[in-house]
Amino acid sequence: MSTTILPSAEGSSVLPRVGTAQILLGLSIGILVVVVAVPVLLILFNSFWVNGQFNALDVVKVLSQGETYQALLNSLILAGGVTITGTTVGTVFAWLVSRTDLPFKGVMKVLFLIPFMLPSFIGALAWKMLLSPRAGYINRLFMDFFDTDTPLFDIYSYGGIIAIETMYLFPFVFIQVSGALERMDPTLEESARISGASLFTITRKITIPLVLPSVVSGALLIALYSMAHFGTVAVLGVEVGIYNIPTLIYEKIHQSAGSFTSIRTATVLATVLVITAAFILWLQNRVLSRGHYQIITGKSFRPTELKLRGLRIPLLIFCLAYIGFTIVLPTATIFCVGFLKTYGLPIALENMTLHNFEYILFEWDLTRGAIVNSLLLGFSAAVITMFAGVIISYVIVKMRVRGKGILEFLGMLPFSVPGSVIALGTMLAWSGKFGINIYNTAWIILVAYIARYMAFSLKANSAALEQVHDSLVEAARASGASMWQALRDIVIPLVRPGMLAAFFLIFLPALRELTVSVMLYGPTTRTIGVAIYTLNEDGETVYAAALAGVALVLIVTGEGLIKRLFKIGMKK
């Protein structure tokens, strides 16, 4: 919308009239600068500037310290291991459900996506209960049965952490590869088969090259998320001295009383995470934009299925066993331990009680407060981010104004930046530096949530706005409606499904969030994730398990509500 100069009654000019586009653009940039740009820039500034002077040598000195170097090495080892195993598992299961005649493929596909719903640190807590060297139920059963002092498996190890993270991150590859396999033109493989090529040759020369970009893209996402993982390493690694970058940032901030040296080290480590994330996303874009192979021709194809014959039932049993071992077993363990009178007792009906759940839900102020805090913070962040996302998305998608490219960059930046970086940047920005000190309050967690989940809102609302034709708003304006009236009466009702999706995409992750909250919580602002983590650290295992069970119920209920509301919206 253009600006005009209006003559005044005395014949002189007045200030340019600011239109709706300028207001929305200014508001959008202001929101993203405050909650996203300033915190990230402060991290970079504190990393490279010491006493007002640029000092890159000090960064090298920090990185060469024994503990920081080891944390960097651990992060690379864990991310590399998880990427290899997660990519292998995700690709194999994607091939089974997409290109074979495996029974119940639709059900299997849904079950393989369940790990996306579950917090990995709760899974790590469950496996700690099962496979800790001396107290784990599986290890105790193994040692008693074989009369040995050697446990079956030590979960407090690199292998244990890699195994647990693989269980929860392999869907990144599974989703991308299964989608590529389902969209691939099967006539390419059929032509090769008619020409006499063997299955191995077809797989090597046709199938693998066509899906390789999707495999690599999913693998890079696994690497990105594994580098930024806090919960699994905090539960299983810190106890035996295995720190990665996020856990070392947490230790530096919380064990050094906020000293300049500890904050300096934390900001340098955070900068490493930012640079690593930027490199991984750049590499992913290069892989996806190479365009060497086209697998979608615009026609509808039914993929050719490989006949498993005698392997159908054994492979189905294998898939069900994997799901049972990685999803059902740890989930059941969480609830069973949550019902125990004391941790360590055999899991039997006579050793169980409802008191643990009654205590954390109705009597203990710490856990009741954590549940209330999570619900309020999640709801508030979802509502604020939902409406802010609509405004920003409208500017990006519908308005022809200069500067909206900045919005796209700032809006998606938190999606690529690890949660520990967002938390540290928020701490630096709003702990008195600009005259506003909200540290140790719920407000600082709320600001960090808004920054972290803004990209979710932008994605959902932008997709909804793309489907609203410009002619609808133009017709309203031609009929005399103001821009605000057109937005209120036409655009908002039409994008309501996208707004609703954005709300739940933010609310549910916020309920189980740990990485940001554990860096910013105060004495009265624990969230569910923080309470579970601290209870476990304090040895209150049965209460940690009970609270984890409550969190799982809330998450699953929320997911079910999303699907129900989505179906209702589709019918309307």
Side-chain angles (χ1 to χ4, degrees), residues 180-476:
L181 287 171
E182 289 170 357
R183 297 191 306 269
M184 191 171 69
D185 185 351
T187 58
L188 298 173
E189 294 172 317
E190 290 173 3
S191 298
R193 193 175 295 110
I194 292 172
S195 301
S198 65
L199 177 62
F200 176 76
T201 301
I202 294 172
T203 302
R204 180 170 56 89
K205 292 191 173 182
I206 297 178
T207 308
I208 291 179
L210 288 176
V211 302
L212 189 59
S214 297
V215 173
V216 174
S217 176
L220 289 172
L221 282 176
I222 289 179
L224 175 63
Y225 276 78
S226 181
M227 286 286 291
H229 250 192
F230 172 85
T232 304
V233 181
V235 172
L236 300 177
V238 170
E239 190 169 329
V240 290
I242 300 176
Y243 289 86
N244 64 350
I245 297 177
T247 51
L248 186 58
I249 291 175
Y250 171 76
E251 291 294 322
K252 287 293 182 182
I253 294 298
H254 282 268
Q255 290 188 359
S256 301
S259 68
F260 173 80
T261 302
S262 65
I263 293 177
R264 169 88 172 138
T265 302
T267 56
V268 170
L269 290 170
T271 301
V272 172
L273 281 180
V274 172
I275 294 172
T276 304
F279 174 74
I280 290 174
L281 290 174
W282 172 82
L283 192 59
Q284 184 191 40
N285 288 333
R286 286 292 301 272
V287 169
L288 293 178
S289 63
R290 287 173 66 186
H292 285 287
Y293 306 100
Q294 292 183 345
I295 63 173
I296 306 175
T297 62
K299 299 178 182 179
S300 176
F301 290 107
R302 183 175 182 178
T304 303
E305 291 184 346
L306 177 68
K307 303 299 181 183
L308 296 174
R309 296 183 174 85
L311 292 175
R312 290 181 80 231
I313 301 304
L315 285 174
L316 175 63
I317 294 173
F318 171 75
C319 291
L320 291 174
Y322 179 87
I323 291 167
F325 185 73
T326 61
I327 299 173
V328 178
L329 178 60
T331 303
T333 300
I334 287 291
F335 283 98
C336 288
V337 173
F339 280 112
L340 285 179
K341 296 175 182 177
T342 303
Y343 180 60
L345 290 175
I347 297 178
L349 193 59
E350 61 268 19
N351 295 326
M352 294 187 177
T353 176
L354 287 173
H355 176 262
N356 298 332
F357 288 91
E358 294 174 353
Y359 185 60
I360 65 168
L361 288 173
F362 305 112
E363 300 177 26
W364 198 2
D365 290 339
L366 186 149
T367 50
R368 282 195 310 160
I371 295 171
V372 172
N373 287 339
S374 285
L375 291 173
L376 289 178
L377 286 168
F379 180 83
S380 302
V383 171
I384 294 170
T385 311
M386 176 182 68
F387 284 107
V390 170
I391 295 172
I392 298 169
S393 299
Y394 189 82
V395 175
I396 293 172
V397 175
K398 295 297 183 182
M399 289 191 168
R400 298 180 180 90
V401 292
R402 294 180 180 178
K404 66 179 185 179
I406 300 173
L407 295 183
E408 293 185 81
F409 172 75
L410 291 178
M412 297 310 298
L413 182 61
F415 182 75
S416 60
V417 174
S420 54
V421 175
I422 294 293
L424 181 59
T426 304
M427 184 191 305
L428 292 173
W430 308 116
S431 296
K433 191 173 187 67
F434 300 107
I436 301 175
N437 189 351
I438 54 176
Y439 188 61
N440 274 347
T441 70
W443 294 106
I444 197 168
I445 301 177
L446 178 61
V447 171
Y449 280 7
I450 292 170
R452 186 172 194 193
Y453 298 119
M454 182 62 73
F456 291 21
S457 180
L458 294 184
K459 283 289 187 181
N461 286 304
S462 294
L465 283 166
E466 290 283 2
Q467 299 177 353
V468 179
H469 200 277
D470 295 342
S471 61
L472 297 174
V473 176
E474 293 169 0

Side-chain angles (χ1 to χ4, degrees), residues 47-268:
S47 297
F48 291 99
W49 270 263
V50 179
N51 298 324
Q53 294 183 339
F54 182 79
N55 190 343
L57 291 177
D58 199 50
V59 174
V60 177
K61 181 180 178 181
V62 170
L63 293 177
S64 62
Q65 294 173 356
E67 59 181 354
T68 53
Y69 172 78
Q70 188 61 48
L72 291 169
L73 183 61
N74 289 342
S75 293
L76 291 175
I77 293 172
L78 294 174
V82 175
T83 301
I84 293 171
T85 55
T87 301
T88 303
V89 172
T91 303
V92 169
F93 285 137
W95 178 75
L96 283 174
V97 301
S98 301
R99 303 306 298 271
T100 72
D101 61 344
L102 184 76
F104 309 111
K105 291 194 298 182
V107 176
M108 291 293 105
K109 191 169 185 178
V110 173
L111 291 176
F112 285 133
L113 294 178
I114 288 178
F116 262 150
M117 297 167 50
L118 306 177
S120 59
F121 76 94
I122 291 181
L125 178 63
W127 284 106
K128 175 182 176 180
M129 299 170 186
L130 290 168
L131 288 174
S132 61
R134 296 299 171 191
Y137 284 100
I138 292 178
N139 278 332
R140 283 169 51 191
L141 181 65
F142 175 83
M143 290 187 290
D144 291 343
F145 185 81
F146 290 99
D147 192 22
T148 179
D149 293 330
T150 304
L152 175 66
F153 184 77
D154 184 359
I155 199 68
Y156 299 130
S157 61
Y158 289 101
I161 295 171
I162 290 172
I164 302 308
E165 289 195 358
T166 297
M167 295 177 190
Y168 293 91
L169 294 181
F170 85 87
F172 281 115
V173 170
F174 176 81
I175 290 172
Q176 300 219 35
V177 175
S178 61
L181 287 171
E182 289 170 357
R183 297 191 306 269
M184 191 171 69
D185 185 351
T187 58
L188 298 173
E189 294 172 317
E190 290 173 3
S191 298
R193 193 175 295 110
I194 292 172
S195 301
S198 65
L199 177 62
F200 176 76
T201 301
I202 294 172
T203 302
R204 180 170 56 89
K205 292 191 173 182
I206 297 178
T207 308
I208 291 179
L210 288 176
V211 302
L212 189 59
S214 297
V215 173
V216 174
S217 176
L220 289 172
L221 282 176
I222 289 179
L224 175 63
Y225 276 78
S226 181
M227 286 286 291
H229 250 192
F230 172 85
T232 304
V233 181
V235 172
L236 300 177
V238 170
E239 190 169 329
V240 290
I242 300 176
Y243 289 86
N244 64 350
I245 297 177
T247 51
L248 186 58
I249 291 175
Y250 171 76
E251 291 294 322
K252 287 293 182 182
I253 294 298
H254 282 268
Q255 290 188 359
S256 301
S259 68
F260 173 80
T261 302
S262 65
I263 293 177
R264 169 88 172 138
T265 302
T267 56
V268 170

Side-chain angles (χ1 to χ4, degrees), residues 474-554:
E474 293 169 0
R477 298 299 306 278
S479 300
S482 66
M483 176 60 78
W484 294 111
Q485 288 173 324
L487 290 174
R488 183 193 64 196
D489 297 334
I490 295 176
V491 176
I492 297 297
L494 290 175
V495 300
R496 190 175 291 127
M499 294 175 66
L500 192 63
F503 176 88
F504 282 104
L505 281 172
I506 297 161
F507 179 67
L508 290 178
L511 278 183
R512 61 177 185 258
E513 206 285 325
L514 174 63
T515 307
V516 169
S517 308
V518 79
M519 296 272 291
L520 300 174
Y521 79 95
T524 60
T525 58
R526 284 182 175 87
T527 60
I528 292 177
V530 172
I532 294 171
Y533 174 71
T534 54
L535 286 173
N536 175 64
E537 290 294 294
D538 293 340
E540 301 284 359
T541 306
V542 292
Y543 292 131
L547 187 57
V550 172
L552 291 177
V553 170
L554 290 173

